[in-house]
Structure formats: C-alpha cells, structure tokens
Amino acid sequence: MTLHVPETPATQKMIGAAQFARMKAGGRLINASRGTVVDIDALAEALRAGHVGGAAMDVFPVEPKGAGQPFESPLRGMDNVLLTPHIGGSTAEAQQNIGPR
C-alpha cells in the first residue's frame, strides 16, 4: 500500500490498526504523504506481529527541527523498516528548480 494524500482532519491517522488488520498478511506500507496519516504505534505493532511485512517511511508525525535534535520513533531499529529523513521530494529536478535562475 502506498499513501499519497494531503494532511487534513479527514486523513489524520487514516491508516491504523483496523486498516492493517485488513491488509494481506506480509503486505508492505510506503508512506510518501504526511506523517500524521499513519498511526505509528499501530504500524509498529503490526510489524512486530508479522502481519505487515515491511514499511518505508519518509514522513513522521514528529520530525526533528534540525540536525542536532534526536529522532525518536517506535519504528527505529526494526529490520523490516526503511526510514528516510523527509527527502522523498528531493529529486535532482526539484533541487535544480529551487536554485537561482
């Protein structure tokens, strides 16, 4: 399952324990939208239980404000999780487009 939705009141914690239970066992989740869309605690539990086979997360409900701040998440240290620092939109084209012209 991939997520590509805006952050709105209707999408906050849109994916939680009930949705993970309905996923095919071993399914994987990619969140490339907003951090508040996924209930991170429910995801961590589904991963630990083995129902969700893996996850890739580029966004989080709470992100560090700068490089010196710690990143805390129940997903840290899980072998079946890929965590990236909110860089999904940092393509070569995007970086070129934000530079001076």
Side-chain angles (χ1 to χ4, degrees):
M1 170 189 333
T2 64
L3 302 174
H4 309 272
V5 297
E7 182 177 49
T8 69
T11 62
Q12 289 187 351
K13 292 195 178 181
M14 180 175 78
I15 306 297
Q19 290 72 34
F20 292 127
R22 294 183 66 190
M23 284 177 68
K24 179 180 177 181
R28 290 166 171 74
L29 173 76
I30 299 171
N31 186 7
S33 59
R34 296 292 178 211
T36 60
V37 172
V38 176
D39 180 334
I40 297 296
D41 291 327
L43 173 58
E45 180 56 35
L47 288 160
R48 280 192 291 272
H51 185 73
V52 174
M57 308 292 287
D58 187 52
V59 292
F60 307 92
V62 178
E63 297 183 352
K65 299 284 187 221
Q69 293 188 335
F71 171 69
E72 301 293 333
S73 173
L75 303 176
R76 285 192 66 184
M78 293 186 159
D79 291 338
N80 54 349
V81 176
L82 175 65
L83 304 174
T84 56
H86 204 144
I87 59 170
S90 293
T91 64
E93 288 175 329
Q95 294 304 307
Q96 187 175 27
N97 288 336
I98 62 172
R101 294 191 173 225

